[in-house]
């Protein structure tokens, strides 16, 4: 398990930006385990999306939209997105 840094202004700022993109698609989507990994040419934004069941868009469509929004916001950012479904009994 990779550690998730908390209380880092840059991580907090980027997480807020990604959350705006996510909520624009569907208010029911949430994110967790958000972290960044900086490289020489780009920075990976790594996070999990929790998608509701019976959404209007497919998992891949949502990932594509968020990835494109992030790339438009800053071409040096690259989204690495894992899809989760909510646990229900």
């Amino acid at each position: 398990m990779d550690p998730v840094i908390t209380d880092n202004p840059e991580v907090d700022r980027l997480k807020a930006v990604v959350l705006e993109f996510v909520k624009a698609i569907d208010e029911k989507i949430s994110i967790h385990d958000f972290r960044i990994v900086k490289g020489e040419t780009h920075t990976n934004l790594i996070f999990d999306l929790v998608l509701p069941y019976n959404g209007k868009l497919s998992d891949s469509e949502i990932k594509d939209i968020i990835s494109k929004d992030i790339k438009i916001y800053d071409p040096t950012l690259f989204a690495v997105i894992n899809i989760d479904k909510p646990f229900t009994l």
Side-chain angles (χ1 to χ4, degrees):
M1 175 180 253
D2 293 329
V4 176
I5 296 172
T6 58
D7 297 326
N8 177 303
E10 182 179 17
V11 173
D12 293 343
R13 178 183 63 80
L14 290 171
K15 182 177 180 181
V17 167
V18 170
L19 196 54
E20 282 184 39
F21 297 146
V22 167
K23 295 300 181 181
I25 296 169
D26 187 335
E27 285 288 328
K28 296 176 189 166
I29 300 173
S30 63
I31 65 175
H32 64 92
D33 293 341
F34 186 91
R35 59 203 182 277
I36 66 172
V37 177
K38 291 185 174 193
E40 289 184 25
T41 60
H42 66 280
T43 298
N44 287 334
L45 306 182
I46 305 166
F47 56 96
D48 295 349
L49 281 179
V50 181
L51 303 179
Y53 290 103
N54 302 323
K56 295 177 185 177
L57 300 171
S58 72
D59 295 0
S60 63
E61 288 172 319
I62 291 171
K63 284 174 69 171
D64 288 346
I65 292 167
I66 295 168
S67 294
K68 287 177 186 174
D69 287 344
I70 290 169
K71 191 59 72 177
I72 290 168
Y73 175 78
D74 183 338
T76 66
L77 300 177
F78 181 78
V80 180
I81 304 170
N82 181 52
I83 301 291
D84 285 341
K85 296 290 183 176
F87 177 74
T88 57
L89 294 174

